[in-house]
Amino acid sequence: MSTQDIVQKLWSLCNILRDDGITYHQYVTELTYILFLKMINENGTEERLMGAVHDAYHKRLEDAARRHKKTVEELSDKEKNDLKDALYAYSWRYLTGLEGIALKKYYNKLLSELGNAPLSEIRQIYVRAVSNIDEPKNLQKIISEINKLDWYDAKKEGLGDLYEGLLQKNADEKKSGAGQYFTPRVLIDVMTELVAPRFGERCFDPACGTFGFMIAAYREAVKGKNLYDLTDYEVNRMEESYTGVELVPDAHRLALMNAYLHNVPANIVCTDSLSQNVKAYRDFDVILTNPPFGTKKGGERATRDDISFRTSNKQLNFLQMIYRSLKADGKARCAVVLPDNVLFAAGDGSSVRRELMNFCNLHTILRLPTGIFYAQGVKTNVLFFTRGTAEQGSTKSVAFYDMRTNMPGFGKTRQLKKSDFSEFMEGYLHPERRTGERWSSFTREEIAKNPDDILDLGLIQDESALGYHDLPDPADSAEEAAAQLEEAVKLLRSVVKELRALEVRD
């Protein structure tokens, strides 16, 4: 059974939980709890976990014996059993053998104890984990169906790819609302390939969702490297290289599992990147991100005091935080997805654009097509920039590529492919090949002619819209409209006349 087949099977199981009132997004979280237990059974981590659990149990026995001034052997069976937790008896085989209320009680206790597991990678995933599955037979059905799957091919293709496929399925389901945590894989790959993270560089995503950008950065950085030949110094550098911050606890949990299953050494924190306590996250070599759109709840402003223009507009705050988090060495670089309003918003928007172009070389803006994110009407862009060594005059010119106008409608029926980016990638990597009409460039002086430093530029003529020269003569249009109105008035008068005649007859 292929990874794709398993993903489809797992996704179909969500129908079992509808009677428990489980939403699509909750379903992925519930599935994560159970799926992770199956996956650690498949990859051998379960043995390591149980070894650590038994070691912890024997430590408790020794502590208890010391308190009671006995040897461990002198402790009674009751004393020994009282020190055993739900994890002590755990194995995937044990879990699949339970039924009904006994299963539900044990499973809920297990989740709680996994949040305090002796292995940190497991403890982080299950911290504050609570199941919303109310019906024992539904829980049993999910566990049973997962246990029946053939995992041989999935392990060959990679458990990380399987889990990522499940996250993609959730993002594609409009009802789940999960698209905001999941950037299309093809866009992640294109942005990562162009920014080109190198081994040992510190990479960061301040709104990491399910950690897709950092997983792609890791893959790009270790490409062609034999990880078994790394020195201790190189291993330490790698383990400090991939950092993410995620505000939403459930998404944070998904990110942890995604990183674990892809074997990415990750530091993923559950907090708000726009809060004061994240100021220490700075001097990164690479930032890849797709921050959330919209405004902070209640019109709140960012609490960080290291950004110049604190607004209720989240993406403007994120943009400032991003370019200030890059190392000011002339090499640190970023690719960030942002909505159109960042390019033209007045007031603080103008100030942020100005500061961005002073601090960084904003060299390229990709105008993305519509329909590739969960909010269909949102128009987005990718901004590519490199942090300068000074805080003045870093941008000399900005190249634009229009991938939006006169493009096919993207969505479920016409999905975005890497080949759609071919012309853009070619021109990005080789500026001398920017010959197509979709490429344009504006100097900093040309941009500055607009007092707001507007960057809403580089869109070609829309073939579906009439240009100014294609419009009819205004006088002819007015005459035609007047004639149509006169005809309409005559028609209404004749209707009124007929209605009056009917009243007389009555």
Side-chain angles (χ1 to χ4, degrees):
M1 183 178 279
S2 70
T3 292
Q4 192 174 355
D5 293 333
I6 293 179
V7 167
Q8 187 56 49
K9 178 68 175 175
L10 290 172
W11 190 250
S12 68
L13 294 180
C14 69
N15 296 325
I16 295 171
L17 299 182
R18 283 185 179 168
D19 290 341
D20 267 334
I22 304 294
T23 65
Y24 282 103
H25 194 55
Q26 285 175 323
Y27 169 65
V28 174
T29 302
E30 294 286 351
L31 197 58
T32 294
Y33 297 153
I34 302 170
L35 201 55
F36 189 76
L37 294 175
K38 175 59 178 172
M39 287 178 169
I40 65 172
N41 171 256
E42 292 291 332
N43 68 13
T45 304
E46 184 181 296
E47 286 183 32
R48 196 158 57 88
L49 169 64
M50 297 320 299
V53 167
H54 290 165
D55 287 347
Y57 169 65
H58 288 299
K59 178 71 168 57
R60 291 196 298 274
L61 284 178
E62 290 169 356
D63 290 344
R66 196 176 300 111
R67 284 196 309 273
H68 293 95
K69 297 182 179 177
K70 298 179 180 179
T71 65
V72 170
E73 291 74 20
E74 290 173 333
L75 292 172
S76 68
D77 289 344
K78 183 180 184 309
E79 286 174 316
K80 290 177 181 177
N81 288 331
D82 286 347
L83 292 171
K84 291 178 181 176
D85 52 22
L87 263 177
Y88 184 84
Y90 174 74
S91 69
W92 176 255
R93 186 173 181 178
Y94 177 73
L95 183 67
T96 55
L98 295 174
E99 297 179 354
I101 295 296
L103 170 62
K104 182 183 174 185
K105 284 183 177 177
Y106 178 77
Y107 178 68
N108 286 335
K109 192 172 183 184
L110 178 67
L111 288 186
S112 175
E113 292 186 8
L114 284 168
N116 295 301
L119 298 185
S120 62
E121 63 265 37
I122 292 175
R123 184 170 61 248
Q124 289 181 82
I125 288 171
Y126 286 96
V127 67
R128 293 187 294 277
V130 177
S131 175
N132 292 301
I133 302 175
D134 190 51
E135 181 56 55
K137 71 174 188 294
N138 289 342
L139 175 61
Q140 187 173 337
K141 178 74 172 173
I142 294 285
I143 293 173
S144 171
E145 291 298 321
I146 287 175
N147 196 42
K148 287 178 190 174
L149 295 171
D150 178 3
W151 292 84
Y152 179 75
D153 287 333
K155 283 196 287 184
K156 280 200 302 183
E157 293 183 39
L159 295 177
D161 288 344
L162 187 155
Y163 190 65
E164 199 167 355
L166 190 65
L167 296 177
Q168 177 70 68
K169 197 81 173 168
N170 188 37
D172 290 341
E173 176 53 63
K174 290 181 184 178
K175 295 175 187 174
S176 77
Q180 60 188 308
Y181 308 119
F182 198 98
T183 306
R185 174 68 179 271
V186 63
L187 181 57
I188 288 177
D189 288 345
V190 167
M191 290 167 63
T192 305
E193 188 175 328
L194 295 178
V195 170
R198 292 187 289 271
F199 186 85
E201 288 189 316
R202 296 178 65 238
C203 304
F204 182 46
D205 184 348
C208 70
T210 55
F211 213 58
F213 275 112
M214 293 297 95
I215 290 170
Y218 169 80
R219 284 173 168 160
E220 183 72 19
V222 301
K223 199 182 289 181
K225 272 198 169 288
N226 186 340
L227 299 183
Y228 295 104
D229 291 340
L230 297 181
T231 64
D232 290 344
Y233 172 73
E234 288 175 321
V235 169
N236 290 335
R237 284 185 70 190
M238 184 175 71
E239 288 178 348
E240 297 171 355
S241 289
Y242 305 97
T243 301
V245 175
E246 175 51 47
L247 175 63
V248 181
D250 279 347
H252 176 249
R253 197 187 310 279
L254 302 183
L256 287 167
M257 183 162 171
N258 206 16
Y260 173 81
L261 293 174
H262 281 93
N263 297 311
V264 176
N267 172 31
I268 309 174
V269 183
C270 188
T271 188
D272 184 356
S273 283
L274 298 178
S275 63
Q276 194 72 354
N277 63 327
V278 187
K279 276 176 62 178
Y281 288 68
R282 56 190 311 109
D283 291 329
F284 291 100
D285 300 295
V286 171
I287 295 179
L288 291 158
T289 189
N290 177 10
F293 305 157
T295 58
K296 286 184 74 68
K297 289 182 179 178
E300 291 178 42
R301 293 171 182 264
T303 58
R304 287 180 67 139
D305 61 8
D306 60 338
I307 60 178
S308 304
F309 311 100
R310 281 177 274 178
T311 85
S312 59
N313 183 314
K314 281 193 288 192
Q315 48 266 27
L316 288 176
N317 290 328
F318 264 103
L319 180 54
Q320 293 176 81
M321 182 272 294
I322 288 165
Y323 59 70
R324 286 180 174 274
S325 299
L326 287 169
K327 193 184 294 180
D329 63 354
K331 295 182 291 185
R333 55 216 180 273
C334 171
V336 54
V337 179
L338 291 168
D340 273 16
N341 69 56
V342 169
L343 305 182
F344 59 73
D348 286 330
S350 304
S351 302
V352 171
R353 288 191 296 276
R354 229 167 265 130
E355 187 174 77
L356 167 65
M357 289 187 282
N358 277 328
F359 279 41
C360 304
N361 175 18
L362 173 63
H363 53 81
T364 311
I365 295 180
L366 169 62
R367 311 302 301 265
L368 287 171
T370 56
I372 63 172
F373 289 105
Y374 77 107
Q376 287 294 312
V378 174
K379 294 180 178 179
T380 54
N381 315 270
V382 182
L383 275 62
F384 295 87
F385 51 86
T386 302
R387 179 68 192 262
T389 54
E391 296 182 357
Q392 196 65 38
S394 294
T395 297
K396 304 304 180 187
S397 65
V398 184
F400 291 81
Y401 185 82
D402 181 6
M403 197 175 159
R404 180 183 305 169
T405 312
N406 305 327
M407 291 291 284
F410 293 99
K412 277 192 175 181
T413 55
R414 169 62 170 93
Q415 297 213 341
L416 202 60
K417 302 190 295 289
K418 191 173 181 181
S419 58
D420 294 316
F421 292 88
S422 297
E423 186 178 280
F424 168 68
M425 295 180 75
E426 182 77 6
Y428 183 99
L429 296 168
H430 307 282
E432 71 279 5
R433 299 178 190 173
R434 297 174 183 177
T435 54
E437 66 166 346
R438 294 187 179 276
W439 280 105
S440 58
S441 181
F442 296 84
T443 65
R444 182 68 185 91
E445 291 73 25
E446 288 173 322
I447 293 167
K449 286 178 181 176
N450 184 296
D452 286 325
D453 283 292
I454 285 175
L455 291 168
D456 189 16
L457 304 166
L459 294 174
I460 62 176
Q461 174 67 39
D462 187 346
E463 292 172 358
S464 64
L466 288 174
Y468 173 77
H469 297 294
D470 299 318
L471 294 172
D473 182 87
D476 292 342
S477 295
E479 281 184 6
E480 185 180 349
Q484 289 174 347
L485 285 170
E486 286 172 5
E487 189 65 31
V489 169
K490 285 179 184 177
L491 182 60
L492 286 170
R493 290 192 187 283
S494 67
V495 170
V496 169
K497 190 174 181 181
E498 288 181 16
L499 290 172
R500 295 293 186 206
L502 287 172
E503 286 177 0
V504 171
R505 279 200 289 270
D506 289 343

